[in-house]
Amino acid sequence: MEFKRNIIITGGAGFIGSHVVRLFVNKYADYRIINLDKLTYAGNLANLKDIEDAPNYVFVKADICDFDTIMKLMADYHVDGIIHLAAESHVDRSIKDPFTFARTNVMGTLSLLQAAKLYWESLPEKYEGKRFYHISTDEVYGALELTHPEGVKSEISAHEVYGDEFFKETTKYNPHSPYSASKASSDHFVRAFHDTYGMPTVVTNCSNNYGPYQFPEKLIPLFINNIRHRKPLPVYGKGENVRDWLYVVDHARAIDVIFHEGKIADTYNIGGFNEWKNIDIIKVIIKTVDRLLGNPEGHSLELITYVTDRMGHDLRYAIDSTKLKNELGWEPSLQFEEGIEKTVRWYLDNQEWMDNVTSGDYQKYYENMYSGR
Ligand code: NAD
Ligand code: DAU
């Protein structure tokens, strides 16, 4: 079958990538979606069980650092678009092992860029109709102050905000963790490929995502699972750090809009205007899990355990996504209350998924999936 577009989505077996792959496979039957993923500890093909047999879906197990393989895939599949999500994504791991982050996030991105450049420049039409879309994070902008530690209502946000400043697309980069430094570096490479070679690139910087299929090393799934198993809930420092939370499907929707309509060489911030202090969001999670499990209200508060703070822990992230709303009409579709209820329910209803991840059995899914074919 001839496809209208052939798009590589890197990191499609991860948390956000799996939602992006699902959205594109279901919405664009005439696009071939090539999910390119190394299947590190964070990649789980069970995240895509519902679409794995779709005729417009292909999975390729590969490392983005493997330049020769990427070159071959570009030509074999006539790739005209790349949506790049593959990365090492967990800040705590980057503090312990920064080399892996530099390798994957910096060298891996460079390898993809160079393969795309060589392939696209070899075609008669060159960069026409092509797009390299790089998914980045708000963490590259550094940290904001808590000028209103108790929170205030602001015009910019329907929700409480904790400071006067927001990250805008023009905010200077100031990464603090090895993770955010590696993402900042990869963002610079992407922009350099536009400025130097004229590659049609776009970069987006998003806030904290939450929702189904997130690896349970991250705050929300870790805490839901720990409450269920009556394990301590490790709150870093005083729990006063602020994050801006966005439901993952809304991020995938934004990626769809920006991939198709975003301006070449531009940057868009994506966020929920939904700031929460860690301790407050933790209390919402506890309340929701207790209610859904039929526990008395407040039953799991005793599991809260304050632990040593994360090194270099950024105090506050808050994204201003006004540009994306004004220029491309994107807004979050889900209120936080609805999103968190859906998320907690999903983890409680999908205990098998969680057990497979925590036991390590999920890593056998790939072998089982392909052994019979
Ligand atoms: P994740 O850790 O859940 O998934 C990462 C995926 O990349 C996994 O499937 C993994 O197997 C794959 N991968 C890792 N190294 C690879 C390599 N060398 N080659 C090929 N595949 C490789 O990550 P996530 O939370 O879904 O984040 C996806 C992207 O979005 C990342 O670039 C991250 O920086 C960015 N981001 C994440 C958030 C968030 O809240 N999670 C927010 C903003 C931006
Ligand atoms: O802001 C976007 C970023 O959000 C993404 O770029 C990253 O890939 C993603 O991992 C996420 O980074 P955070 O460090 O904000 O997410 P994490 O879930 O690790 O932590 C959220 C907050 O909760 C943070 O302030 C640290 C705190 N925390 C986290 C864990 C895992 C705890 O207090 N205890 C914990 O056990």
Side-chain angles (χ1 to χ4, degrees):
M1 174 180 170
E2 189 72 3
F3 289 96
K4 188 170 156 201
R5 298 207 66 168
N6 292 287
I7 300 167
I8 287 185
I9 299 182
T10 70
F15 166 48
I16 302 172
S18 62
H19 289 276
V20 178
V21 167
R22 175 175 298 101
L23 188 152
F24 272 69
V25 165
N26 287 333
K27 185 168 171 184
Y28 301 107
D30 51 353
Y31 289 9
R32 177 160 52 189
I33 301 302
I34 304 129
N35 173 10
L36 189 162
D37 199 296
K38 185 183 175 184
L39 298 183
T40 66
Y41 80 93
N44 182 356
L45 284 179
N47 296 356
L48 290 164
K49 222 174 176 168
D50 51 326
I51 57 105
E52 69 190 14
D53 293 325
N56 61 337
Y57 172 70
V58 182
F59 173 71
V60 178
K61 186 176 190 295
D63 186 336
I64 53 169
C65 299
D66 181 353
F67 174 77
D68 293 338
T69 299
I70 308 293
M71 263 317 276
K72 188 170 177 330
L73 287 171
M74 295 290 302
D76 286 354
Y77 287 110
H78 310 288
V79 172
D80 57 18
I82 297 181
I83 304 178
H84 175 35
L85 296 110
E88 289 292 335
S89 70
H90 191 41
V91 175
D92 293 332
R93 286 180 188 255
S94 82
I95 294 168
K96 294 199 185 97
D97 174 20
F99 278 114
T100 305
F101 282 69
R103 180 186 177 277
T104 294
N105 298 359
V106 185
M107 292 305 288
T109 301
L110 181 55
S111 143
L112 275 179
L113 284 164
Q114 183 69 358
K117 172 186 179 292
L118 293 185
Y119 174 62
W120 288 339
E121 287 187 354
S122 75
L123 301 173
E125 77 279 12
K126 302 206 181 292
Y127 288 122
E128 209 186 304
K130 312 296 186 299
R131 179 152 293 214
F132 190 107
Y133 180 177
H134 176 62
I135 310 299
S136 191
T137 170
D138 59 1
E139 302 202 9
V140 297
Y141 296 123
L144 297 166
E145 295 298 318
L146 296 193
T147 45
H148 304 297
E150 300 312 318
V152 290
K153 295 278 175 206
S154 90
E155 281 183 13
I156 197 166
S157 168
H159 193 74
E160 206 114 66
V161 300
Y162 294 90
D164 300 311
E165 269 192 284
F166 292 84
F167 295 137
K168 296 183 186 303
E169 288 80 359
T170 48
T171 302
K172 217 173 101 197
Y173 273 30
N174 185 21
H176 296 137
S177 71
Y179 163 66
S180 51
S182 69
K183 291 296 289 185
S185 171
S186 62
D187 297 6
H188 291 317
F189 270 107
V190 174
R191 294 189 178 108
F193 267 63
H194 170 267
D195 296 349
T196 308
Y197 309 112
M199 183 181 285
T201 57
V202 65
V203 177
T204 54
N205 299 83
C206 189
S207 62
N208 284 62
N209 285 215
Y210 71 98
Y213 301 112
Q214 188 168 32
F215 196 83
E217 62 187 349
K218 308 280 167 68
L219 181 79
I220 292 182
L222 175 74
F223 277 37
I224 295 170
N225 196 41
N226 281 11
I227 296 168
R228 185 172 185 133
H229 293 289
R230 310 296 307 155
K231 287 194 196 157
L233 306 176
V235 181
Y236 297 164
K238 294 185 180 148
E240 284 181 344
N241 304 66
V242 172
R243 296 291 181 265
D244 169 5
W245 294 92
L246 178 69
Y247 191 64
V248 62
V249 175
D250 277 328
H251 188 188
R253 283 178 48 245
I255 290 172
D256 178 18
V257 172
I258 293 160
F259 178 74
H260 289 97
E261 295 168 40
K263 261 199 277 160
I264 285 170
D266 218 340
T267 297
Y268 299 88
N269 278 354
I270 310 172
F273 284 126
N274 180 40
E275 289 181 49
W276 287 84
K277 278 191 183 180
N278 288 345
I279 193 64
D280 293 334
I281 206 168
I282 287 163
K283 286 180 183 162
V284 170
I285 295 165
I286 290 174
K287 196 171 172 180
T288 312
V289 177
D290 276 342
R291 176 169 48 78
L292 292 176
L293 288 180
N295 295 330
E297 187 163 342
H299 178 65
S300 299
L301 285 170
E302 64 182 28
L303 298 175
I304 290 180
T305 309
Y306 290 93
V307 300
T308 309
D309 208 352
R310 173 185 279 174
M311 280 188 269
H313 197 172
D314 286 335
L315 189 54
R316 170 176 175 249
Y317 302 142
I319 278 278
D320 180 351
S321 53
T322 311
K323 173 177 165 179
L324 181 55
K325 181 180 172 191
N326 291 346
E327 290 189 13
L328 302 180
W330 175 91
E331 277 187 282
S333 68
L334 218 59
Q335 292 298 312
F336 180 71
E337 291 64 27
E338 202 185 326
I340 201 72
E341 174 90 16
K342 265 172 98 118
T343 301
V344 172
R345 271 187 198 280
W346 188 88
Y347 285 101
L348 296 180
D349 289 349
N350 288 275
Q351 195 56 40
E352 198 185 331
W353 178 92
M354 181 62 89
D355 291 344
N356 277 334
V357 172
T358 49
S359 68
D361 281 354
Y362 70 109
Q363 287 173 320
K364 294 179 197 139
Y365 191 85
Y366 173 73
E367 279 77 28
N368 294 340
M369 184 177 163
Y370 286 93
S371 59
R373 296 188 178 188

